Amino acid sequence: QIRTQSPGGDIADAEARISFSEDTLEALDWKPAQPSSPGLARTKLAGARKRKSQVGTDWYYIDEEGASQGPFDAFRMLAWFRAGYLHEQVMVYYVQKGSPTETEEKEERPNRELPLAAVFSRLTNEVIGHAGAESSFESSLETGRGAIGCEACTWLWPEALAVSSVAREDFLEHVNSADDPSRQCHSWTFDVWQLDPSELLPLGAGILHQLQVPATFDVGVEVFVEFFREVERYMNAYDNPFHNIYHATDTMQVLFCFLCAFRGAVFFTDVEVFALLLAGLCHDLNHPGLNNKYQVNAMTRLAIMYNDVSPLENHHAAVTFQILSRPESDITATLNEEDRNRIRKLVICAILATEMTMHFNLKDELDSCIIRNAEEDAKKDDPLDDPEEQPRLTGMRNEFLASPEDREILVKALCHIADISNPSRRWDVAKKWSDRVVEEFFAQGDLEKAEGLPVSPACDRDNTLQTELSLNFIDFIVAPFFVALTQIMPRGVEALRLLSENRNTWHGLLRKEIEEKEGLEDPEVLQETLEKWEDRRVVSNDLLTPIIEGLSGVESAEETGFIQRKRSRYMLHDFLSAIAEKRKSGRLRTLSAVAAEE
């Protein structure tokens, strides 16, 4: 049963059955349906003779080598999906026949691709004769490339809008603007802060819809609304500047970008996508605005309950499943026992992996996973070379990251990267998040001083500079992980480029702060400080620029190459080594070699 939106705006159910005669199957040279899997399409689908659409739209799919195949009509694309030849995460795009922008749309293909799941409603609408039902407002957006306002939207988000008392066209303008990148929820430049609090629920609903979570797992509107309301209640319990419902929704939107804009969805099953989005939204539930260091030093209830071991992260995971334990808010209720257990395991391990003490171990895990799979991938022969061997559609080409254990590592890594991604956003957005996290840190430091507790690192407003804190966070925490990310999701180079630009901006602000101290401190100390940070800037640019340039124009992970992937493993080591070398041999050095290495 396919749910469609009628031209009148009401939700109507229409049953569409597609049956195939033996003659049709023989004509299309079909084989028995293959199991659903998270892979790309084979290079040439059986019976893939180009057939122009008769309903005004040409459809194309992207094969495993990144080549565009088509045009085909909607009926054939849907038939291939039902037969198992096209998975819901295969990248597709469509072009309106005869439109003034038809040629431009074809040329802009890389910017228009979506997982099949994101345009499934449009595809089915064409087959059952409801094409063209979208409003003129939505049509003017030239399809949303994964945005919420496009024709792909079905039953969940309009009702979520109604529950939130949000005007439809206003919401679409905020999340699917035609010309403002900060108002395009499918874009890395999206700014969640420009949304009203009432618009966060429909945004979350729309993100789940775009990845077909409600349709695949039968998530009802009432249950999702109750679930999100509980998340919202817990996230706003302490009125934190940073750890609030906006941070939770922003993390979910970042994961949405990883899955769609950066093509990360090709690595995962539907259950794993659901778990990743759930972990992203819930990873900081009921955060008190006071970190684990404070919890342990103050011997809080959470520290005692969890024996000083990741008290906050354990609490976040526990609250998540407290919400899901209530039937009225359990959005996983329709899953079978195996899938529910899989989601529980993934959500818990992903939330626990956001603890900063796990950061470097997780980075090592991710690097080893990338290199191990790259080495195995390089050893395998291409199955397409053997015409007798049926291509397997389990993961990326040659089953890259086919192991559930490796995909679990990637789930943990993506959730953690999304959590620390703020410095890689557009500068105005990154600065806004930095101001908020520093405000929260300093409030904790003030409380620690008042209670006679040790002041946690980065929490003392009397001796912590926001510029230094931001540069250290970028250099030692964020940049190494984003380098690793680009090795398996090359389109993530957009985030790495912004991160590098923001680092240079923070460096300029720090340099100005240091120069303003001239005449107030020892000139030699100021000079030494300037040289130290300038060395850091040079080393960072020297390491990041070749990676960014090397990934320019790379569309898929297969194109990344083994040598490029190895950079992810050694980036932090190279960074530290290069800084030490600079400190030993630089200009006007007063530090000893030992001190420089330290």
Side-chain angles (χ1 to χ4, degrees):
Q1 194 174 57
I2 302 170
R3 299 186 63 100
T4 61
Q5 185 173 356
S6 67
D10 297 325
I11 303 301
D13 289 336
E15 187 166 334
R17 302 182 184 278
I18 303 176
S19 58
F20 306 103
S21 67
E22 291 297 325
D23 293 340
T24 304
L25 294 174
E26 184 177 351
L28 291 176
D29 189 26
W30 282 353
K31 296 181 174 66
Q34 302 297 315
S36 180
S37 60
L40 296 178
R42 60 183 294 184
T43 303
K44 192 73 170 177
L45 285 172
R49 293 185 291 274
K50 294 182 180 180
R51 175 180 169 189
K52 288 278 188 173
S53 169
Q54 301 302 313
V55 291
T57 305
D58 289 333
W59 289 85
Y60 301 78
Y61 71 86
I62 310 304
D63 65 27
E64 62 181 5
E65 295 180 350
S68 174
Q69 299 289 346
F72 306 107
D73 61 22
F75 177 90
R76 188 171 296 254
M77 296 285 285
L78 183 59
W80 279 330
F81 170 75
R82 291 172 62 90
Y85 285 103
L86 287 176
H87 185 265
E88 54 267 16
Q89 300 300 344
V90 169
M91 304 302 290
V92 303
Y93 67 101
Y94 59 88
V95 176
Q96 291 293 132
K97 283 172 46 178
S99 69
T101 61
E102 179 177 1
T103 302
E104 295 178 10
E105 289 177 0
K106 291 180 181 178
E107 292 175 351
E108 294 177 0
R109 184 264 292 181
N111 296 322
R112 303 176 59 81
E113 296 164 15
L114 286 168
L116 178 60
V119 292
F120 192 75
S121 293
R122 181 184 180 94
L123 193 67
T124 54
N125 283 347
E126 289 194 8
V127 171
I128 63 178
H130 290 291
E134 72 267 26
S135 68
S136 58
F137 175 82
E138 290 166 339
S139 298
S140 69
L141 300 179
E142 299 181 350
T143 176
R145 297 180 308 209
I148 288 172
C150 67
E151 177 67 7
C153 293
T154 55
W155 57 275
L156 179 57
W157 78 268
E159 296 189 26
L161 283 173
V163 168
S164 303
S165 301
V166 174
R168 179 171 177 268
E169 292 203 358
D170 289 344
F171 177 68
L172 290 176
E173 183 58 33
H174 292 164
V175 300
N176 196 13
S177 171
D179 51 14
D180 184 355
S182 71
R183 294 173 179 261
Q184 296 171 352
C185 70
H186 55 280
S187 169
W188 189 255
T189 55
F190 180 68
D191 180 10
V192 72
W193 286 106
Q194 48 84 26
L195 296 181
D196 291 330
S198 60
E199 294 176 308
L200 299 179
L201 188 155
L203 174 62
I207 287 174
L208 288 182
H209 163 75
Q210 289 302 316
L211 290 162
Q212 290 292 304
V213 169
T216 303
F217 300 106
D218 193 23
V219 179
V221 177
E222 297 83 2
V223 175
F224 174 78
V225 169
E226 182 62 23
F227 169 78
F228 195 92
R229 291 289 188 232
E230 283 293 284
V231 170
E232 199 169 33
R233 181 171 69 85
Y234 278 110
M235 288 306 302
N236 289 335
Y238 292 93
D239 196 25
N240 298 321
F242 182 87
H243 289 103
N244 53 43
I245 187 60
Y246 278 89
H247 172 60
T249 310
D250 180 68
T251 303
M252 187 185 191
Q253 187 270 332
V254 169
L255 291 170
F256 178 47
C257 285
F258 288 166
L259 293 169
C260 289
F262 296 170
R263 287 191 180 182
V266 298
F267 295 111
F268 301 113
T269 64
D270 294 332
V271 169
E272 290 160 352
V273 167
F274 192 6
L276 182 58
L277 293 173
L278 185 58
L281 182 63
C282 299
H283 77 282
D284 273 332
L285 277 185
N286 204 218
H287 198 296
L290 302 166
N291 65 21
N292 282 330
K293 199 78 170 175
Y294 175 87
Q295 304 297 322
V296 172
N297 289 339
M299 292 188 66
T300 65
R301 177 182 62 86
L302 294 179
I304 294 171
M305 181 183 298
Y306 296 110
N307 300 312
D308 294 349
V309 179
S310 304
L312 288 180
E313 287 69 30
N314 276 293
H315 180 58
H316 304 326
V319 173
T320 299
F321 286 95
Q322 287 175 14
I323 296 174
L324 294 176
S325 69
R326 299 169 56 233
E328 59 269 30
S329 58
D330 185 5
I331 60 176
T332 66
T334 62
L335 276 67
N336 59 40
E337 184 177 359
E338 180 183 355
D339 287 344
R340 283 175 68 91
N341 290 338
R342 176 69 170 160
I343 279 190
R344 176 170 167 80
K345 178 184 180 183
L346 289 173
V347 169
I348 290 175
C349 73
I351 291 177
L352 293 181
T354 61
E355 220 265 277
M356 285 307 301
T357 60
M358 307 291 185
H359 173 87
F360 294 104
N361 286 338
L362 181 59
K363 176 63 167 56
D364 290 341
E365 273 191 280
L366 180 60
D367 287 336
S368 298
C369 174
I370 293 172
I371 300 301
R372 179 176 63 254
N373 279 273
E375 290 173 341
E376 293 174 359
D377 192 59
K379 293 176 184 177
K380 292 180 181 178
D381 293 327
D382 189 338
L384 295 178
D385 292 340
D386 183 358
E388 300 298 321
E389 183 175 352
Q390 176 70 24
R392 292 165 292 184
L393 306 178
T394 53
M396 293 193 60
R397 191 179 184 188
N398 291 331
E399 299 186 349
F400 193 81
L401 292 184
S403 159
E405 293 76 20
D406 285 342
R407 296 201 303 276
E408 183 177 314
I409 292 173
L410 188 56
V411 165
K412 293 191 296 183
L414 291 184
C415 192
H416 178 54
I417 296 170
D419 188 27
I420 62 173
S421 65
N422 300 144
S424 67
R425 310 304 286 270
R426 208 173 61 178
W427 168 252
D428 58 330
V429 179
K431 180 62 164 59
K432 193 180 306 181
W433 283 114
S434 177
D435 291 342
R436 287 178 169 272
V437 77
V438 167
E439 180 185 350
E440 193 167 302
F441 284 174
F442 288 170
Q444 174 178 321
D446 294 343
L447 180 62
E448 289 169 327
K449 291 176 182 178
E451 294 182 352
L453 298 172
V455 179
S456 300
C459 293
D460 191 342
R461 67 173 71 246
D462 296 326
N463 56 30
T464 301
L465 291 178
Q466 183 179 3
T467 47
E468 287 190 1
L469 180 63
S470 300
L471 288 169
N472 287 332
F473 190 56
I474 290 173
D475 287 344
F476 302 119
I477 304 296
V478 184
F481 253 111
F482 269 92
V483 169
L485 177 71
T486 59
Q487 311 312 303
I488 51 176
M489 299 180 195
R491 291 189 174 196
V493 70
E494 175 185 3
L496 191 60
R497 182 180 293 109
L498 285 172
L499 182 68
S500 180
E501 293 173 0
N502 290 344
R503 195 215 178 279
N504 288 332
T505 302
W506 282 117
H507 176 83
L509 293 175
L510 176 60
R511 185 178 183 89
K512 183 178 179 181
E513 289 177 354
I514 295 173
E515 290 173 343
E516 287 175 351
K517 295 179 181 179
E518 188 173 355
L520 302 177
E521 295 186 10
D522 187 329
E524 290 188 5
V525 173
L526 289 178
Q527 180 64 25
E528 180 64 30
T529 302
L530 284 172
E531 289 178 352
K532 179 187 74 172
W533 287 105
E534 180 62 22
D535 289 345
R536 286 264 298 269
R537 184 192 68 80
V538 171
V539 169
S540 176
N541 287 341
D542 286 348
L543 285 173
L544 293 181
T545 300
I547 296 173
I548 294 170
E549 292 178 349
L551 290 170
S552 298
V554 174
E555 295 294 333
S556 63
E558 300 100 292
E559 300 177 58
T560 307
F562 180 71
I563 300 300
Q564 184 72 16
R565 285 192 179 112
K566 290 194 71 172
R567 294 178 191 249
S568 69
R569 179 175 239 173
Y570 301 113
M571 189 271 175
L572 182 57
H573 174 268
D574 290 345
F575 182 75
L576 295 172
S577 298
I579 290 174
E581 287 300 317
K582 282 244 177 219
R583 301 307 293 154
K584 288 179 186 178
S585 58
R587 311 164 302 280
L588 300 175
R589 291 295 182 253
T590 58
L591 293 177
S592 68
V594 173
E597 289 176 356
E598 291 175 353

